[in-house]
Amino acid sequence: MNGAKLPGRAQVVIIGGGVAGCSTAYHLAGLGLKDVVLLEKNELTSGSTWHAAGMVGQLRASANITRLLRYSVELYEGLESQTGMATGWRANGSLRLCCTPDRRIEIERQAASARSFGLEAEFLGPADIARLCPVMSVDGIDSALYVPSDGNVNPSDLTQALARGARQGGVQIVQNVAATGIRSRNGEVTGVEFASGLIECESVAICAGLWSREIARLAGASIPLMPSFHQYMVTEPIDGIEPDMPGVRDPDHLSYFREEVGGLAAGGYEFNPLPYNAVPQANDPPYRLFPEETEHFSQFMPGMIERFPQLETVGIKRWFTALESFTEDTHFIMGEVPEVRGLYTATGFNGMGIAAGGGAGMALAHWIAERQAPYDLWSVDIRRFSTLYRSDRSLKKRVVEGQGRHYAMHWPHHESDAGRPLRRSALYDRLKDAGACFGSKSGWERANWFAPPGVTPIDHHTFGRANWHDHVAAEHTACREVAALFDQSSFVKLLVSGGDAESVLQRLCAADVAVTPGRVVYTQMLNDSGGIECDLTVARLSASEYYLVSGTAMAVHDSQHVRRNMTASDNVALVDVTSAYGVLGLMGPRSRSILQTLAEDDLARDAFPHRTVREVMVAGAPVRVMRLSFVGELGFELHVPTEYMLTVFDALQSEGREQGLVNAGYRAIDALRLEKQFCSWGAEIGPDDTPLEAGLSFAVSFGKADFIGREALVNLQEKPLGKRLASFTVEGDTPLLGGETIYRDDQVCGWITSGGYGHTIGQPLGLGYVRNAAGVDNDFLLAGRYALDVAGTRLPAQISLGALYDRAGDRMRA
Ligand SMILES: Cc1cc2nc3c(=O)[nH]c(=O)nc-3n(C[C@H](O)[C@H](O)[C@H](O)COP(=O)(O)OP(=O)(O)OC[C@H]3O[C@@H](n4cnc5c(N)ncnc54)[C@H](O)[C@@H]3O)c2cc1C
């Protein structure tokens, strides 16, 4: 169809006719939305899709992203028979090779995750690998992970089949018409402009690949991706290469291979990728390839020849040197952009858009039709990015580094380097001088641990006991026995104020927040299914003012969640005041006596009880002090106006030193909270987890007036729970890392959501859900015999239903 026949109105307009756009169109049609238009500025597939190598792998570190990729495979298997159009789908399986002991551990861990997520995956030795791929040299290969259901597809044919399915479902696909503008009113999408007109619509999906960032800018929004080059070659036929050869990924040699017309398609992900130093333009040529960068590519050749010696002599038939969009954290981007209601995206696929396209289109279609994700997709949700990635300068540095890590070892506790330091708390230099080893989150520099004098504050990567283990142990122990000071300035702080602040927050929060001013409430905000959208502390400052505190990464997500649930008639305002306050967590049994030396208020237990908030003069500064604890000890959270931070910090250091106060970092926080079974949003809790399952029922006030998610929780209370969170310990001294498979009576029943080492209990520990479709209660949990798969070895594990440390919480309330 050409532009002249375009309708003036549609329910949804999709921009972009690559795999993502066509899959979204196909799935919107499947959901029964008929009034859908897809605009493609050239021809379908003419962006990045047509030149993809077509490898479809499913294994990812997140259960739900693996689930999404598995959906792609299921879809591709049946698409040809459904649409009558060939897709070239072949389930040849895939091999991920391990050539070093560390790689083997990394991939053993991935295999364990695959099994926990329900994906069939098998670890093979060289003889079995050679049987599956006889033409490949197994020299230097220790082992490989074999995923039999992975495969290959022809990307263009797949996309055309999706488009045909979409058309059959009533979608109008219009080629050679570019979207030139996005209209919005009062922060909501109203239409899409093209050269000769406008389509008014309720929702827009930007599926425009590497052009997506520029298109979002037309609407005043930011999609943080950057185009970068990726290349592969296709060889002349090679003896012994058969069409059923499994796809091969050889990360230790940075390369991948698949069969292509009797030869090999062979490409690689280098440590030093080539960014695209130009801005994508609407009139970029379709089907664009760039001259091959053979010199750059030559870095792969020794490793490729080691694997397939035939490559030394075989001719190269064709080069594909082309652009793809990449993101700073190597995950793709989906969801509703926070700046404009009704503006959605699925883009930034980091070299895996063909594999992800089916599932991403399905998920985005649900997101559009139901105005929420079909399940927890936080790791690809656009709201994970903080506003700093509006900056091309910041983004570019991070994206190049991220792309360069595609086949690098995925070490636990890895921190990116590029573009740092960027966001620094007022204490940055003080902490640096004190030996802080910093990590970065949402652009913030945060102290992970402190190196004592004579120790260099650097992480050495390992899957075993880390070089910082003992230093974190010392911080952990100081917090339990004396006192520790944590710089938590990166906490997100939102001020919600106005005559309707109480009623809006009562509607949003599962806990009762209609408390007297001065009270602090720990609460979750739920979705309609009872899943946890936000996990935060709500301090009531006055009749009309609430101060909300949540995790560093949650600024965009949480403020958007609150805003989206305000109505036009609510007299309420939300302001992000994160930058106005630094935060000091003073935690430990001596925290009160240390703070009392500087505070001009009585801090005694009854004068300043647990879960209260006060404005207190501390070291001459006006400080908002909350009595609460995220580590399970007596503690105070000091919210200090930024300009007073150094004063308060210095005073605490000098007064606290005599009493044994130490600096401590985020690695200690994590270990401390695991012992207390305190949940972290994005790990233990998220939109798919209810407070009932997570052991957070105590924070739900069923007795108050209605709140979002209440009805779902009430219904769930009447049924057996399908999963329950518990703590697990194993013997030994190697910390758990998260992702380990949990076996109950030799059956997979879940995975560790956060792992670490409990320095007080003296054991590796982790949290995780035990799942059972027929229901999980205390008896079921306690009756099981548990084991954890730690990199291929099953270790017997002990379960604990509650916290492993101070279960009753007496120490916090001391
Ligand atoms: C060399 C190479 C090999 C790859 N191999 C693989 C692989 O083996 N497996 C895998 O999973 N992935 C692979 N990929 C990645 C894959 O190609 C991409 O992730 C995927 O094609 C992205 O699809 P898309 O729909 O998001 O973008 P695109 O295919 O680029 O589609 C976006 C479309 O939007 C259109 N558009 C842009 N602006 C406008 C506008 N204003 N109005 C209307 N239309 C517009 C464009 O013309 C384009 O057709 C590879 C990538 C490269 C570069």
Side-chain angles (χ1 to χ4, degrees):
M1 182 189 262
N2 66 37
K5 294 182 191 152
L6 277 170
R9 259 208 73 76
Q11 198 174 347
V12 184
V13 176
I14 299 166
I15 302 173
V19 67
C22 291
S23 176
T24 304
Y26 171 91
H27 287 94
L28 282 170
L31 290 175
L33 276 77
K34 299 242 173 324
D35 202 6
V36 177
V37 176
L38 184 151
L39 298 183
E40 164 53 52
K41 72 183 170 78
N42 298 119
E43 290 171 0
L44 297 183
T45 82
S46 63
S48 295
T49 294
W50 73 278
H51 55 52
M55 292 176 82
V56 176
Q58 300 163 84
L59 187 58
R60 288 295 174 279
S62 143
N64 278 353
I65 304 306
T66 303
R67 184 174 162 193
L68 199 127
L69 297 171
R70 283 175 65 193
Y71 174 86
S72 291
V73 165
E74 285 159 22
L75 175 73
Y76 301 168
E77 276 166 359
L79 201 59
E80 181 169 339
S81 60
Q82 191 215 327
T83 61
M85 200 159 197
T87 60
W89 170 252
R90 277 181 292 160
N92 289 357
S94 75
L95 290 165
R96 188 171 282 258
L97 311 182
C98 316
C99 299
T100 65
D102 281 332
R103 185 70 74 179
R104 174 160 185 151
I105 298 174
E106 182 201 30
I107 296 182
E108 287 268 19
R109 293 184 56 82
Q110 289 180 0
S113 301
R115 284 181 216 116
S116 350
F117 305 161
L119 186 68
E120 198 192 323
E122 201 184 336
F123 228 77
L124 303 181
D128 288 327
I129 298 167
R131 244 191 312 278
L132 276 173
C133 192
V135 66
M136 179 177 77
S137 161
V138 292
D139 286 356
I141 298 179
D142 172 273
S143 46
L145 182 67
Y146 176 53
V147 180
S149 55
D150 279 354
N152 302 322
V153 73
N154 180 319
S156 295
D157 292 351
L158 165 72
T159 306
Q160 294 291 357
L162 288 165
R164 179 183 280 187
R167 284 192 190 100
Q168 287 166 348
V171 174
Q172 293 184 55
I173 294 185
V174 187
Q175 303 185 66
N176 299 307
V177 173
T180 54
I182 294 174
R183 287 209 190 157
S184 62
R185 194 180 314 118
N186 299 330
E188 290 200 26
V189 148
T190 56
V192 172
E193 297 167 3
F194 54 99
S196 57
L198 166 76
I199 307 175
E200 291 181 352
C201 60
E202 292 157 27
S203 305
V204 175
I206 302 178
C207 298
L210 57 99
W211 295 271
S212 300
R213 185 164 174 79
E214 306 315 312
I215 294 176
R217 280 189 169 125
L218 300 173
S222 167
I223 296 181
L225 58 79
M226 284 275 163
S228 194
F229 287 100
H230 176 59
Q231 56 181 347
Y232 68 95
M233 60 181 185
V234 178
T235 71
E236 300 289 352
I238 294 173
D239 274 352
I241 300 275
E242 300 293 337
D244 63 354
M245 176 186 135
V248 175
R249 293 178 182 82
D250 186 1
D252 292 311
H253 294 98
L254 308 180
S255 46
Y256 63 81
F257 310 88
R258 77 165 179 85
E259 184 273 346
E260 169 97 23
V261 205
L264 282 175
Y269 282 95
E270 59 277 50
F271 292 132
N272 56 339
L274 298 171
Y276 180 57
N277 291 317
V279 177
Q281 303 292 330
N283 60 359
D284 286 336
Y287 303 105
R288 193 177 191 189
L289 289 180
F290 293 79
E292 56 267 30
E293 299 277 352
T294 44
E295 207 179 310
H296 190 75
F297 196 84
S298 66
Q299 62 184 306
F300 300 118
M301 288 314 291
M304 286 183 168
I305 290 169
E306 210 176 300
R307 200 52 60 231
F308 288 92
Q310 307 86 330
L311 286 173
E312 195 146 28
T313 48
V314 73
I316 296 169
K317 205 160 65 177
R318 194 162 183 199
W319 286 94
F320 288 88
T321 304
L323 291 173
E324 159 70 335
S325 53
F326 290 88
T327 62
E328 66 101 23
D329 61 1
T330 73
H331 300 302
F332 52 94
I333 306 178
M334 291 200 59
E336 189 177 22
V337 308
E339 296 92 341
V340 187
R341 188 117 220 214
L343 183 58
Y344 295 84
T345 190
T347 188
F349 284 102
N350 292 272
M352 53 171 283
I354 306 306
M362 176 277 293
L364 193 68
H366 280 277
W367 220 315
I368 294 169
E370 289 139 28
R371 298 236 150 187
Q372 64 177 26
Y375 44 78
D376 181 359
L377 291 171
W378 174 241
S379 55
V380 294
D381 190 321
I382 189 166
R383 293 172 296 174
R384 73 191 186 274
F385 297 109
S386 62
T387 47
L388 72 96
Y389 294 118
R390 287 177 164 267
S391 156
D392 291 341
R393 182 188 159 93
S394 300
L395 185 62
K396 187 168 180 181
K397 290 181 194 161
R398 298 285 285 205
V399 165
V400 171
E401 187 186 24
Q403 188 187 352
R405 291 198 45 71
H406 193 94
Y407 277 152
M409 284 290 304
H410 291 91
W411 294 110
H413 307 291
H414 171 264
E415 295 282 352
S416 300
D417 293 325
R420 294 177 56 190
L422 186 64
R423 287 172 101 177
R424 278 170 274 190
S425 109
L427 304 182
Y428 177 79
D429 289 328
R430 291 281 200 283
L431 301 185
K432 195 171 181 190
D433 291 346
C437 179
F438 289 98
S440 99
K441 191 156 195 180
S442 298
W444 283 93
E445 290 297 314
R446 309 192 315 170
N448 277 337
W449 58 280
F450 288 84
V455 174
T456 312
I458 288 180
D459 288 342
H460 299 299
H461 293 130
T462 174
F463 288 103
R465 191 182 258 228
N467 62 312
W468 40 265
H469 182 96
D470 291 345
H471 310 307
V472 170
E475 295 168 20
H476 182 120
T477 306
C479 183
R480 289 271 182 259
E481 295 176 1
V482 191
L485 192 58
F486 302 88
D487 177 13
Q488 297 190 283
S489 300
S490 61
F491 269 160
V492 170
K493 300 133 217 156
L494 306 174
L495 192 66
V496 177
S497 59
D500 294 326
E502 179 185 298
S503 60
V504 168
L505 289 177
Q506 279 291 72
R507 190 165 73 228
L508 276 162
C509 295
D512 188 355
V513 295
V515 290
T516 50
R519 297 289 309 170
V520 175
V521 182
Y522 169 58
T523 186
Q524 286 78 45
M525 294 178 178
L526 309 180
N527 54 35
D528 289 331
S529 316
I532 300 173
E533 290 290 334
C534 309
D535 178 65
L536 65 179
T537 304
V538 174
R540 185 162 205 176
L541 304 181
S542 70
S544 60
E545 268 183 318
Y546 287 85
Y547 183 72
L548 279 47
V549 183
S550 69
T552 303
M554 306 313 295
V556 174
H557 177 278
D558 285 6
S559 41
Q560 192 217 29
H561 183 76
V562 176
R563 282 212 173 89
R564 295 273 153 102
N565 284 288
M566 293 172 176
T567 63
S569 60
D570 287 327
N571 171 17
V572 65
L574 180 146
V575 184
D576 185 333
V577 293
T578 300
S579 304
Y581 298 90
V583 179
L584 287 165
L586 178 60
M587 301 284 146
R590 292 218 196 124
S591 56
R592 180 184 283 129
S593 63
I594 293 170
L595 189 58
Q596 191 64 79
T597 57
L598 297 165
E600 298 179 28
D601 249 23
D602 184 2
L603 304 180
R605 177 189 157 131
D606 295 336
F608 194 171
H610 187 51
R611 296 210 171 137
T612 53
V613 57
R614 292 267 183 75
E615 306 293 324
V616 181
M617 297 308 294
V618 177
V623 177
R624 178 168 297 153
V625 183
M626 297 195 215
R627 242 212 81 186
L628 48 84
S629 173
F630 48 85
V631 295
E633 299 295 338
L634 168 68
F636 298 85
E637 207 171 275
L638 279 59
H639 291 247
V640 186
T642 307
E643 69 275 25
Y644 291 105
M645 268 296 270
L646 286 171
T647 303
V648 175
F649 177 78
D650 289 346
L652 282 170
Q653 291 280 316
S654 90
E655 289 299 326
R657 199 169 297 128
E658 266 180 30
Q659 297 200 48
L661 179 68
V662 304
N663 286 315
Y666 274 86
R667 300 243 166 97
I669 292 177
D670 222 34
L672 290 155
R673 68 113 185 151
L674 286 178
E675 286 183 337
K676 282 291 297 172
Q677 210 183 86
F678 285 167
C679 298
S680 172
W681 198 91
E684 287 70 48
I685 50 177
D688 295 346
D689 314 300
T690 69
L692 311 182
E693 296 159 337
L696 297 172
S697 310
F698 69 88
V700 179
S701 178
F702 286 101
K704 73 168 191 176
D706 202 13
F707 58 88
I708 297 169
R710 183 180 184 282
E711 196 184 326
L713 289 192
V714 169
N715 289 337
L716 285 171
Q717 271 183 320
E718 286 162 13
K719 297 182 201 143
L721 292 174
K723 64 177 188 204
R724 279 270 304 275
L725 189 73
S727 298
F728 294 89
T729 51
V730 293
E731 294 302 321
D733 61 0
T734 305
L736 299 180
L737 297 172
E740 293 86 359
T741 309
I742 307 172
Y743 286 87
R744 182 186 180 280
D745 294 342
D746 297 321
Q747 300 296 314
V748 173
C749 70
W751 59 92
I752 295 293
T753 46
S754 302
Y757 191 88
H759 300 281
T760 309
I761 62 166
Q763 275 184 297
L765 87 168
L767 307 181
Y769 286 96
V770 174
R771 290 152 204 267
N772 181 34
V776 182
D777 58 15
N778 287 358
D779 291 342
F780 179 86
L781 288 171
L782 293 172
R785 180 175 42 82
Y786 293 92
L788 301 184
D789 181 330
V790 180
T793 307
R794 264 193 222 184
L795 302 181
Q798 295 300 315
I799 190 168
S800 167
L801 307 194
L804 290 158
Y805 173 80
D806 187 32
R807 186 169 300 179
D810 296 335
R811 292 179 70 91
M812 295 191 295
R813 288 186 283 272

